[in-house]
C-alpha cells in the first residue's frame, strides 16, 4: 500500500488483484446483476486509485476499499433505477434468497459469512456502528434460514 500511495502503479495492480474477488461480491450483493457488479467494482478501483492520498495508512486497506466499492455500487444502482421504466422482479434481478434482504443486510452477511470480515471491519465499510452490523447479520441469517426452509420444501 505504501508503494501504491507513492505512485507505484504495479503495487496498486497487486492490490487490485488481491481485492478484485471480494469487490465483485460486495458489488453483486448491492446490485444483484453480475455485469453491473463488475462495472461497479472496476469504477471503485479507479476511484480508489484517484483517492489514494486520502487513505489513512494506520487503518486496514480492505475496509477502506470496500467502502468505496459499496458506494460505487449504490451509486450505479441509483442511476439504473432512475433510467428504468418498468421495475424488475427482485427475485430475477438479484437471483435467489439474498434478493429478499435489504441491501445493507445483504452486504453485511456477505462480508461476514462469505468473506470472513469482522464486525468492526464491516462497520468501517458500511459506515455504521458495530452493533448495527451485528444486528444486520443476525436478521439476515434469520431471514435466510426461513427462506431456505421454504426453498428446500419446494425442491
Amino acid at each position: 500500500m505504501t508503494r501504491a500511495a507513492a505512485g507505484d502503479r504495479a503495487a496498486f495492480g497487486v492490490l487490485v488483484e488481491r481485492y478484485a474477488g471480494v469487490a465483485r461480491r460486495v458489488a453483486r450483493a448491492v446490485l444483484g446483476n453480475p455485469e453491473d457488479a463488475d462495472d461497479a467494482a472496476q469504477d471503485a478501483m479507479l476511484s480508489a486509485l484517484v483517492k489514494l492520498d486520502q487513505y489513512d495508512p494506520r487503518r486496514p486497506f480492505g475496509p477502506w476499499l470496500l467502502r468505496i466499492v459499496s458506494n460505487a455500487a449504490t451509486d450505479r444502482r441509483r442511476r439504473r433505477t432512475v433510467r428504468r421504466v418498468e421495475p424488475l422482479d427482485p427475485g430475477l434481478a438479484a437471483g435467489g434468497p439474498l434478493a429478499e434482504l435489504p441491501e445493507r443486510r445483504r452486504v453485511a452477511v456477505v462480508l461476514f459469512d462469505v468473506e470472513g470480515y469482522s464486525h468492526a471491519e464491516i462497520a468501517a465499510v458500511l459506515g455504521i456502528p458495530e452493533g448495527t452490523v451485528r444486528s444486520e447479520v443476525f436478521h439476515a441469517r434469520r431471514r435466510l434460514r426461513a427462506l431456505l426452509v421454504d426453498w428446500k420444501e419446494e425442491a
Side-chain angles (χ1 to χ4, degrees), residues 120-132:
E121 291 170 323
I122 297 167
V125 168
L126 296 177
I128 58 176
E130 188 174 337
T132 304

Side-chain angles (χ1 to χ4, degrees), residues 108-132:
V109 79
V110 166
L111 287 174
F112 189 77
D113 287 330
V114 177
E115 300 300 332
Y117 279 81
S118 70
H119 291 111
E121 291 170 323
I122 297 167
V125 168
L126 296 177
I128 58 176
E130 188 174 337
T132 304

Side-chain angles (χ1 to χ4, degrees), residues 7 50 54-55 57 60 70 73 98 103 105 107 110 131 140-141:
V50 170
Q54 297 175 16
Y55 169 70
S70 179
L98 276 176
E103 175 188 331
R105 286 191 181 156
V107 172
V110 166
R141 286 176 171 172

Side-chain angles (χ1 to χ4, degrees), residues 12 15-16 19-31 36-48 51 61-77 79 103 107 111 117 124-126:
F12 187 75
L15 290 172
V16 168
Y19 288 96
V22 66
R24 281 193 300 275
R25 287 186 290 276
V26 167
R28 180 132 189 222
V30 173
L31 293 164
D36 284 348
D38 286 347
D39 290 344
Q42 187 174 27
D43 291 348
M45 294 298 183
L46 291 173
S47 180
K51 296 177 180 181
F61 178 75
W64 178 80
L65 176 64
L66 294 179
R67 175 75 183 247
I68 293 171
V69 170
S70 179
N71 289 342
T74 300
D75 289 346
R76 183 170 286 275
R77 188 190 70 231
R79 287 192 307 267
E103 175 188 331
V107 172
L111 287 174
Y117 279 81
V125 168
L126 296 177

